[in-house]
């Protein structure tokens, strides 16, 4: 006799959004996870959400999340990072390893020790971003609509994409160009999962430039979960589906 | 409040079939697109369909399509190419850029400037095709049944595959070996999408030899849509599904 | 008029399980195939199942299967190998080519001539397995739970994974390190298919280290079938789905 198909655990999720987003990115997913009887937190962080500081550093961002977790006295956390949020959960894990049950990367960056987000991009994309940064009056990068529509929101209808684009703030450039010391991260035994939405068109999906397998492989022993979806539309418009994938990545 | 899930645009599709096929390749997809209230054209071209000329050149093929579009006074076109048809829409786009709203490649070749279709194949396949060409009395290449069945029609039942194979004419070899000047194509700002059926077994699906990511990456900024399907059976036997994917690639 | 969607053939399947498994691996798939009116055999082999010999060689394993096929007078066989079972069906095909209608590899090793299973693994995995082997009193390799859970059984619930893990015997190490002479295999014209469950996390899914495209490409002309699933849970808990995929790989 096989055991019943599944028993559901109640988990504590802490959801860290990426660049060109704010905590509202998680509204749908949070609601779905709560309906599955999980506890959910989606903390804001420096330079984003209600903080207008365009000069926020990566360290300030990480501190926002660490402080939130400590103030809320959270423990036994499933810490989820989306996109740029992957680099944040790498650093938070270094500071609060004993509070983290598992790291879950959702189409997220996993930086090698000593590198920056920008260095992960293919050369042409690096050049395009450098140009956008140079053109900015306040050292931010604003995503041009065609790039957002074709690469970040490829599966959406025009209405969905226009709506999401209207919510997309310019991103402080600094943290994307900071090289992170991740030596401690690469010594941590924290269990980790990679949830990969396979239509994500931010990277060209080669062995060298991709969320999976390029980023995911850096996790060493990790759990792989795949689903159908893009970078920005699917998490917002199919939150029940993404919540289920995150749970598959998060459970014991 | 999110906007409604989707509003549907009415578009004008021009569908360009590939090698070892004729305009009947699009019969099902055309019917489905028309039911979605789009306008659909699937023009015949030189050396194929009712034209018996085995010596047709790539240029003659492109001229067939250009002439059709001009005669029918089509504009604001979504120009779709399947397989070898990708090379045709690359060249048509060079000649009629102002009439094309978007290019959609469906498991299609995207040739680099100065190369031929044959040069895209892995060495073993190149050798096999050269042999088939040399054995032909009229400079065509006839697909052997096992190659068609396993590589082009892998998802079909035997009945489906036998039926499709009976419709598969020998292909004029010449255009497959012509090196195309595509300098203008690579300067065009025309929006473009790549629709990728992920079980397509024509290429070995590596970074080097694949419709995606090898061909697709040449498009620069493009929209990626994926679906489940093979090269020949899915477009013919699941036309509603493929029409939906094409619409996702075509819409604004 | 298109022909009817499919006519079903009745086939004779011989199913060869992989390492860390026994013939019960196929219980569900066998039942499903039988319901589809196929004949199914899942023979035991040396060093596994009821044979306690930890010093079984790859040749002894192959002989078990060859003897079974001869004793049962099976012919016109669809010979299926899962995982390590791929190496077994490669060698059985060399010995009984006239009895085999088609080979079907299900997330299975396809060894190049002169190599071993262990040599297919990425360097870090090779080192880990060497260590596990060295630590064993009887030259077996026992899968640590975290490796099994994250890499072999990533899609399962904890209940499913714990159950499967309790059924997972230590694997005799010897055959995994034997270099196989496969010259004859690579001269055989036997039709072959590769059925690939795309969430399999045993390999990092790169061009170099993967079931598909790395292993599959060695088959030359082969039929590709894909489905959603992992290495160990999906074949056991979604046997109807896997049986359908195997049939798509097996039919004419």
């Amino acid at each position: 006799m096989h055991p019943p198909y599944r028993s559901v655990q109640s988990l504590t999720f802490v959801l860290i959004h990426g660049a060109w987003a704010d905590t509202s990115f998680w509204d749908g997913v949070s609601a779905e996870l709560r309906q599955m009887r999980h506890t959910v937190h989606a903390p804001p962080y420096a330079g984003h959400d209600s903080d207008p500081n365009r000069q926020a550093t990566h360290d300030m961002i990480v501190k926002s999340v660490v402080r939130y977790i400590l103030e809320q006295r959270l423990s036994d956390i499933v810490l989820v990072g989306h996109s740029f949020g992957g680099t944040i959960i790498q650093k938070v894990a270094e500071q609060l390893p004993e509070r983290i049950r598992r790291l879950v990367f959702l189409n997220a960056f996993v930086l090698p020790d000593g590198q920056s987000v920008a260095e992960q991009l293919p050369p042409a994309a690096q050049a395009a971003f450098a140009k956008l940064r140079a053109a900015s009056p306040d050292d931010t990068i604003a995503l041009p609509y065609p790039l957002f529509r074709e690469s970040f929101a490829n599966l959406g209808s025009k209405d969905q994409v226009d709506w999401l684009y209207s919510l997309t703030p310019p991103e402080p450039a600094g943290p994307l160009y900071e090289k992170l010391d991740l030596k401690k991260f690469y010594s941590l035994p924290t269990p980790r999962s990679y949830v990969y939405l396979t239509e994500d068109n931010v990277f060209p999906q080669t062995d060298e430039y991709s969320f999976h397998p390029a980023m995911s492989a850096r996790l060493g022993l990790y759990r792989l979960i795949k689903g159908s979806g893009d970078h920005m539309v699917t998490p917002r418009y199919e939150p029940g589906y993404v919540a289920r994938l995150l749970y598959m990545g998060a459970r014991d």
Side-chain angles (χ1 to χ4, degrees), chain A residues 17-18 21-25 42-54 169:
Chain A
H17 67 79
D22 58 34
T23 59
S24 74
F25 179 80
Y45 56 74
H48 297 71
D49 304 299
S50 60
D51 176 16
N53 179 9
R54 296 328 205 170

Side-chain angles (χ1 to χ4, degrees), chain A residues 118-193:
Chain A
E119 289 170 290
Q120 302 303 302
L121 305 178
Q126 278 194 43
F129 276 94
K131 232 173 157 176
L132 291 167
R133 185 187 190 183
S136 156
D138 59 353
D139 202 29
T140 61
I141 295 177
L143 286 183
Y145 182 86
L147 178 63
F148 182 79
R149 199 281 174 267
E150 310 294 25
S151 295
F152 286 67
N154 40 314
L155 297 190
S157 69
K158 187 169 189 315
D159 288 344
Q160 293 173 331
V161 176
D162 288 355
W163 174 258
L164 293 182
Y165 189 67
S166 76
L167 305 178
T168 300
E171 178 70 18
L176 306 178
Y177 287 86
E178 283 183 54
K179 292 170 187 292
L180 301 187
D181 180 337
L182 289 158
K183 280 179 206 70
K184 182 165 178 200
F185 174 78
Y186 284 105
S187 75
L188 293 174
T190 317
R192 68 276 316 263
S193 299

Side-chain angles (χ1 to χ4, degrees), chain A residues 104-108 193-197 223 225-226 245-246 249:
Chain A
V104 178
F105 294 81
L106 171 64
N107 291 37
S193 299
Y194 206 98
V195 177
Y196 180 52
L197 299 171
R223 188 187 305 170
I225 305 293
K226 284 186 189 175
L245 296 173
L246 290 179

